[in-house]
Amino acid sequence: HVQLVESGGGSVQAGGSLSLSCVTSGAPFCTAWFREAPGREREGIAAIVSGGSPTYTDSVRGRFTLSRVNGAVDILTLEMNSLKPEDTAMYYCASRTGASTTRCLALSRDDYKQWGQGTQVTVS
């Protein structure tokens, strides 16, 4: 059974940095970060498979860095730099079952069935 618990987030001025962490149990093959801004659809922004390299959407590539450390629990970290007001959203850690790297990195919301509770990021 996969469980995901996010931490980090908060408020920061434009140009600043924040770090989000997600502790996952159950050793999911695929983990990702999504975000949902008010009035907008939840969008995937970064994903990684166990032992693989991360992928990013255009909106965050070059500014955000995703890493994953596997152990007794897995720790998924999203380092966010050069933050912009449009990065303001609720951020969610998510995982999907199955061993498809392609589907993991496609960041389709419907493919992800396990979700954390979310953590708010506000950039002003």
Side-chain angles (χ1 to χ4, degrees):
H1 178 64
V2 175
Q3 291 185 309
L4 306 102
V5 179
E6 302 107 332
S7 62
S11 297
V12 66
Q13 291 188 335
S17 300
L18 284 173
S19 179
L20 305 182
S21 292
C22 175
V23 178
T24 67
S25 60
F29 175 69
C30 165
T31 48
W33 284 97
F34 285 71
R35 66 184 181 186
E36 185 172 338
R40 300 189 65 178
E41 295 288 321
R42 189 172 298 188
E43 63 166 342
I45 57 173
I48 189 169
V49 301
S50 180
S53 298
T55 192
Y56 305 93
T57 57
D58 290 344
S59 60
V60 305
R61 187 177 295 114
R63 300 187 297 122
F64 291 10
T65 302
L66 178 63
S67 62
R68 172 172 169 167
V69 177
N70 298 335
V73 293
D74 297 338
I75 301 175
L76 191 70
T77 302
L78 186 68
E79 299 284 350
M80 306 184 294
N81 298 310
S82 302
L83 283 162
K84 306 174 183 179
E86 51 262 46
D87 293 318
T88 295
M90 185 71 79
Y91 283 69
Y92 297 90
C93 181
S95 70
R96 68 177 301 276
T97 56
S100 170
T101 298
T102 300
R103 293 191 66 176
C104 177
L105 302 185
L107 281 167
S108 172
R109 176 184 176 177
D110 290 342
D111 272 346
Y112 285 77
K113 304 302 182 184
Q114 296 85 37
W115 296 88
Q117 79 282 2
T119 185
Q120 178 68 36
V121 171
T122 302
V123 185
S124 60

